[in-house]
Structures are given as structure tokens and as C-alpha cells.
Amino acid sequence: MKVQIAVVQMVSSDVVADNLARAGSLLGQAAAGGAELVLLPENFAQMGRDEKAKLAIMERDGDGPIQSWLAAQAQRLGLWLVGGSMPLAAADGRCYSACLVFDPTGQRQARYDKMHLFDVDLAGGESYRESRTIAPGSSPVAVATPWGRLGLSICYDLRFPELYRSYAGAELLVVPSAFTMQTGAAHWECLLRTRAIENHAYVLAADQGGLHENGRQTFGGSMIIDPWGQVLARLDQGEGVALAQADGEFLQRCRSNLPALRHARPAFTTPDG
């Protein structure tokens, strides 16, 4: 396995058409750089002015303009496209934050719904309640690619290592995100590098990276990390594309030389259960 991979960083607005146009241009840059597997960030199609904005653009599963756009881009550029996240309708009036994967023919190969929702109160009065508008997913999802298994996750999932351990043996892990400036500065890189090291996998992390129309500042720092925890490519703030090569022989050497995945013991509980 040797494959050129890319992560796309955006500063999405609340206008879907503008975001899709910009994402299409950035995907073209990635393809021109030889990328065969590309990751878009969380909320690539819209960073709304309020929490409810996503409900106005949510689509039914398998039917809608954003889903059609993703399929068309994958086919147009002949690449595997991991569509960050987009809102798909849930039965209770909320939406799922769904990560969709398309192959180079434009066929959808996987859907993962964000499992861990960002309901937090940060320092300085910064507060988020994703569960008001987003329904949580219920299960991990990995998809077979020509370069190995690809484990799916979204943003806040990054803080839950048990999700990634459920993908044990996967060669590639993706983390489309819209990390806040506050949490990103403190934890983004160390969490990503840890997930790569503990799972001996390539990690692709595509973040939002700038000041949005709703006043929110996202961290950026989109990066590609190898199975030894080394950062192969990184962006700072603003929009752009980061490219690197994933090497299956190097991955297997890491796993052979330090076989932590084989040494893992069965899951256990604390004395309190």
C-alpha cells in the first residue's frame, strides 16, 4: 500500500452553494497533487449562524443536493472521498451528523453517524449543546478501501479512545472536525498523535480553520499523521490542502517492531463495575 492522501481545510460560511464551490476547488487541488483518498472537514457544507441552521438543510438519507454533490465530486475526480459531515434527517426532528464515504465511481460505500455529542461549557462562557439539534449515532463504522480498512469518526469522538480501539487493525482513521480555538490549542495535536500511535494507523484530520460568520473561531491545524505518531503534513489557519503518502510497508514495520495491538488484553471493568 502506497497512496497519496489529502485533507481539506475550510472556513465554511452559512451559504451552502458558496461552500460547495470552494470545496470543489480544494478537492481539485488535492486531485492535481495526486491524491486518491481525500477528507473534507466537519460541516463542510455549512457553518450556520445558529444551532438550528443545519436543520433547514438536512436531507433524507440517499436523497439530496449535498449527497449528490459528494457523489459527483468523487466520480469527477476519480478518488475516494470522505465527506466530512453533513446533516441527515432523524426521526425525532433532529438530524444526524453523518460522515459519508464515496468511491471513485460515485457509489456510496459507508455512512457513519457521530456518536459523541459536544455538550460542554468551556472557560470564558463558551458553551455548546449539540444534542439539541443532533441525534447521536449508535455504532462504529469501518469501510474497506484498496489500501486497507478505514475507520470513521467525527470531531468530539476524538476524545473517546474506545471508539478507535474498536477499529483495531484498521490502516487508516479519519477525523473530520470543527474544533474550537480553545480546545484545539490545548488538545488537538496531542489527541490525534495519540490515536495514531496507540492504533498504529495513519490518521487524517481535516478541521475547520478560521473565523466564521456566526462569530465562532475554529482551530485549523489539519494534518496527516503516520503510525509512529509523526506529523507528515500540516496546515495552520485558513483554507488549503495538505498532502502526504501513506506507506503500507512502513505501517507493517511499526506493527511488527512494536506489536502493541497483539499485546492488548481483553477489556475489563473497575472494581466498582
Side-chain angles (χ1 to χ4, degrees), residues 3-10 19-20 22-31 35-42 44-45 65-86 98-112 143-147 150 152 172 174 176 204 206 241:
V3 57
Q4 189 82 340
I5 54 182
V7 294
V8 170
Q9 184 164 291
M10 298 180 65
N19 295 325
L20 296 187
R22 187 61 187 144
S25 176
L26 293 165
L27 289 173
Q29 292 180 35
E36 298 179 72
L37 170 65
V38 184
L39 174 65
L40 289 168
E42 184 180 25
F44 71 93
I66 300 173
Q67 294 171 84
S68 296
W69 181 89
L70 286 167
Q73 295 302 307
Q75 185 176 37
R76 175 178 73 90
L77 298 169
L79 48 75
W80 282 76
L81 178 56
V82 184
S85 78
M86 63 162 293
C99 179
L100 307 180
V101 182
F102 293 84
D103 69 20
T105 70
Q107 296 298 306
R108 195 175 93 180
Q109 295 296 325
R111 168 185 169 178
Y112 166 77
V143 57
T145 76
W147 314 285
L150 177 74
L152 304 178
L172 302 152
V174 296
L204 291 74
V241 176

Side-chain angles (χ1 to χ4, degrees), residues 136-223:
S138 59
S139 60
V141 176
V143 57
T145 76
W147 314 285
R149 289 173 63 237
L150 177 74
L152 304 178
S153 67
I154 300 172
C155 201
Y156 191 47
D157 286 333
L158 181 60
R159 296 182 181 273
F160 300 88
E162 61 273 17
L163 171 61
Y164 299 89
R165 189 42 60 99
S166 76
Y167 298 138
E171 287 78 9
L172 302 152
L173 302 170
V174 296
V175 193
S177 298
F179 249 63
T180 70
M181 178 59 74
Q182 184 176 167
T183 59
H187 302 142
W188 172 248
E189 181 171 337
C190 62
L191 285 170
L192 289 168
R193 294 181 68 188
T194 298
R195 298 294 162 260
I197 293 165
E198 69 191 3
N199 294 291
H200 277 163
Y202 283 92
V203 170
L204 291 74
D207 201 19
Q208 295 278 347
L211 181 62
H212 303 271
E213 292 170 338
N214 60 6
R216 179 174 173 180
Q217 179 82 36
T218 46
F219 180 67
S222 299
M223 65 183 75

